[in-house]
Amino acid sequence: MKTTTRVAVIGGGVVGASVLYHLTKLGWSDVLLLERSELTSGSTWHAAGGFHTLNGDTNMAALQGYTIRLYRELEEITGLSCGLHHVGGITLADNRDRFDMLVAERAKHRFMGLDTEIIGPDEIARISPITNLDGIIGALYDPLDGHLDPSGTTHAYARAARMAGATIETHCKVIETTPRADGTWDVVTDKGTIHAEHVVNAGGLWAREVAAMAGIYLPLLPMAHQYIVTDDIPEIYDSGSEHPHVMDPAGESYLRQEGRGLCIGFYEQPCRPWAVDGTPWTFGHELLPDDFDKIEASIAFAYRRFPVLERAGVKSVIHGPFTFAPDGNPLVGPVPGLRNYWSACAVMAGFSQGGGVGLTLAQWMIEGEPERDVFAMDVARFGHWTTPGYTVPKVIENYQKRFSVSYPNEELPAARGMRRTPMHDLFDGMGAVWGAQYGLEVVNYFARGDEPRFETPSFRRSNAFAATAREVAAVRGAVGINELQNFGKYAVTGPGARDWLDRVMAGRVPRPGRVALTPMLSERGRLIGDFTISCLDEETFQLTASYGAQAFHMRWFRDHLEGDVQIDNISDRRTGFQIAGPRAREVLAACTSYPVETLGFLDVAPMTLGMASCIVQRVSYTGDLGYEIYCDPMVQRHLWDVLWAAGQPLGMAPFGMRAMMSLRLDKGFGSWMREYSPDYTPAETGMDRFIAWSKPAPFIGRAAAEADRTAGPARRLASFVVDAEDADVNAYEPIWLDGRVQGFCTSGGYAHHSGQSVAIGFLPTDRIREGLEAEIEILGRMCPARLITRPLFDPDGTRMRG
């Protein structure tokens, strides 16, 4: 057995084999896969083998499309069969909300190049005549859907990797993974120790145990999943062609042909987690005992939807575990806090996503970053606050909602309330309707009187509409107050702090007492952060950015840390409020002896408000006159009392995130992971105006950003007012010009102050001009839209800067 290798991949399922293959495909041949048993041991061997492109995240859908197209390539390279059956598939809709979701997905597919189609009952009957159409409105048809042979596909990946120089060691159990001081690893096995530059955890069912060897916790959990293969069915074997896949979300089932019968699997509500306290090392090619009790209701529903099942006998039952993360997406990428340790775990849909996961991880390891934004499956999207107590209920919830309608405004109830600020009980008493961000309870809006304390999930305007309008009016008309906890906050200190920030951030590093806005770029010049830098003194800076990107950003900071500088994540150790609106200055002045009138736009200063020591900066995401006020959590309630007492005579009202996102639309302000993400460049998004092109520092991504600036981007962001009815833009709706799709939306909503539906999205640069007429497809309706080049509110910034 080899004793040294560049990469040691732990786990020989379809994901580990895909990672191994893609590493060789991108040029690394000194790679080794370690499997404690045989290839496909674990979840892979008993998988149903289905694949599809449907995914709520467009980049995940694109990677699934890549995975499916890859199988033919593997067959050509290796001469092995993947057992491909491209039979197409339909997803049924039995109510208006589910149909809305499918129509919205079809709209996204237009600009993604996926050839899906919305079909009606007559076409469903032609494609799947065994389907009982009672109550069915329509369906989404995808010609790429199909199934394959799990074992054959995994061995095709493995052979292709071996042909390119990779080594595979089976019956080799990993016992320890120990880091060396230089960032490399000793991988101890029952056959000896391997010195590896990189370790990839593709442990599947055993990923938690493998992670624990490195001293980390990965939030994933195996769930027991069951599917049934029937005896021969005449309507199937006499049909003349293979039956397509049918997903019936109402019945929580998926169905396909298997031989002369059918295979049907269920995501039942009385589901059962498996091996909650750890996967036994002795488990492998076994199945779990049959459990018809938990799928009894699902089977009864399936008999009604597909009556042929009731007349068919059961040939076999497959009941086995496979892993989920709390949100159902994989855990992929460099694990925060560890050097050269990579995750490729919780890939629940291995034969839809395994190829894309392997490609993404190989690009990340070899080229430094993936080609597209993969935050939806980045292991860093979960922080160190996750525990098994959080993971178990979230995974159960995700399993149960596998086929549920996914609403853009839905707040899921499982594992809530763990992370709260000192304001939680007070806001709750004021009628707060709560959302969750990165595990933190965040106010979405405040209900009053008899208004319900729950926002109805919907693709259309929800019951939060009136409350959001009320809070927007309070900010624009007087003054609003909003908690600042849900900002990521970092302290950068030391003699080398300024020089380090100059290299890591593309924008200007401000002088003491000033604030600057800046993008942070990857080496390829892509946006990986949208930051505010506050200079408190020459060696002390505060950075603020998206709260949900903390682990993502800290991983980047630590990977690029150098010189005499320290960086500390203080997101939960510094909190406070923002106040915004035309009377915000009066409120602040009433709380402090500091000469507030001297604090200009983008100034920052220490102040005492009441008895609380605070950092106050003149900036607001609302686009109004506003201040961000930071303090220690221990004095936050006192600070609230002081601000609230001063604000009541001036009409102060609290506002939540729904109002915040409406207010920013008045100004056309972009939002992180909507307008700004690693998919986009500064020049495309307008963030190039914050780049300090004249500074001498060779900031990360400079060459790529300058090249993009010189060439000029092919597309740019633009804002639109939309003639919408009861539904506004959410994200990824196609923008039509001249009868064809030429752009897509990144976000949108209703701008209550302006009284208009607003959308932000990308269009070809040469088409952007004031008043351009376009159409935006919202839930199947072509909505007239007009491009605007000036903000709807305070277009000259008089109020914001005055």
Side-chain angles (χ1 to χ4, degrees), residues 21 74-75 77-78 80-82 151-161:
Y21 163 68
L74 286 174
E75 291 183 327
I77 291 171
T78 65
L80 296 178
S81 172
C82 292
S151 178
T153 300
T154 304
H155 282 279
Y157 275 123
R159 177 177 286 186

Side-chain angles (χ1 to χ4, degrees), residues 184-520:
T184 62
W185 292 81
D186 287 326
V187 181
V188 182
T189 78
D190 56 6
K191 290 185 176 181
T193 298
I194 301 121
H195 179 215
E197 183 179 341
H198 299 269
V199 170
V200 176
N201 181 351
L205 291 175
W206 297 268
R208 293 171 298 173
E209 287 68 38
V210 174
M213 295 177 190
I216 56 171
Y217 170 71
L218 291 178
L220 57 88
L221 176 70
M223 295 293 293
H225 180 66
Q226 197 163 208
Y227 65 90
I228 294 169
V229 179
T230 74
D231 286 328
D232 293 359
I233 299 175
E235 291 88 343
I236 297 300
Y237 63 73
D238 283 341
S239 67
S241 61
E242 187 170 359
H243 196 277
H245 284 212
V246 182
M247 283 195 287
D248 181 21
E252 301 160 344
S253 71
Y254 59 88
L255 174 147
R256 65 167 176 83
Q257 185 169 339
E258 176 72 18
R260 291 162 59 89
L262 290 169
C263 165
I264 183 167
F266 306 99
Y267 283 87
E268 68 285 352
Q269 291 303 299
C271 59
R272 291 176 187 159
W274 181 78
V276 172
D277 296 323
T279 303
W281 288 109
T282 54
F283 187 82
H285 281 272
E286 301 91 341
L287 288 173
L288 306 179
D290 297 348
D291 189 352
F292 287 102
D293 289 345
K294 70 173 181 172
I295 59 172
E296 182 178 4
S298 299
I299 290 175
F301 194 102
Y303 284 171
R304 294 192 296 272
R305 180 69 74 213
F306 309 106
V308 297
L309 290 171
E310 196 164 15
R311 303 189 300 272
V314 174
K315 179 186 292 185
S316 61
V317 178
I318 308 297
H319 191 202
F322 65 121
T323 57
F324 284 77
D327 59 3
N329 278 341
L331 300 171
V332 179
V335 174
L338 295 179
R339 293 168 63 188
N340 297 334
Y341 191 97
W342 307 79
S343 175
C345 305
V347 188
M348 175 272 301
F351 293 98
S352 292
Q353 299 173 340
V357 166
L359 174 67
T360 295
L361 195 65
Q363 289 175 336
W364 220 328
M365 296 175 72
I366 295 171
E367 299 171 2
E369 59 185 289
E371 66 180 299
R372 64 178 75 242
D373 170 27
V374 292
F375 189 75
M377 65 178 181
D378 191 335
V379 66
R381 72 187 184 277
F382 294 106
H384 294 302
W385 48 268
T386 56
T387 64
Y390 171 85
T391 301
V392 171
K394 289 303 289 185
V395 166
I396 291 172
E397 176 185 65
N398 186 271
Y399 185 99
Q400 292 172 328
K401 295 184 72 64
R402 178 81 172 93
F403 283 149
S404 297
V405 177
S406 180
Y407 298 96
N409 67 327
E410 188 172 18
E411 296 287 351
L412 299 176
R416 292 292 297 276
M418 175 176 68
R419 306 182 73 230
R420 305 177 180 184
T421 76
M423 292 300 300
H424 186 276
D425 63 326
L426 192 148
F427 283 156
D428 203 56
M430 296 175 74
V433 178
W434 296 97
Q437 184 182 8
Y438 203 60
L440 176 72
E441 294 296 309
V442 177
V443 178
N444 280 338
Y445 64 95
F446 291 88
R448 288 186 183 174
D450 294 333
E451 292 175 345
R453 295 285 297 274
F454 176 78
E455 182 178 5
T456 304
S458 177
F459 289 97
R460 301 169 193 274
R461 293 172 187 163
S462 76
N463 60 324
F465 192 81
T468 303
R470 182 172 64 233
E471 292 173 18
V472 166
V475 173
R476 292 287 187 244
V479 58
I481 184 167
N482 172 269
E483 194 173 21
L484 280 180
Q485 177 66 27
N486 59 326
F487 281 0
K489 298 170 283 286
Y490 313 90
V492 182
T493 57
R498 178 175 293 276
D499 289 343
W500 182 76
L501 286 168
D502 241 344
R503 190 178 74 82
V504 172
M505 300 294 177
R508 179 179 55 83
V509 180
R511 65 181 185 273
R514 292 287 288 167
V515 173
L517 309 179
T518 175
M520 186 167 73

Side-chain angles (χ1 to χ4, degrees), residues 110-130:
R110 292 189 196 280
F111 69 85
M112 293 171 63
L114 296 174
D115 188 24
T116 57
E117 181 184 355
I118 296 293
I119 58 176
D122 290 345
E123 187 67 6
I124 296 170
R126 186 188 68 79
I127 295 172
S128 177
I130 67 170

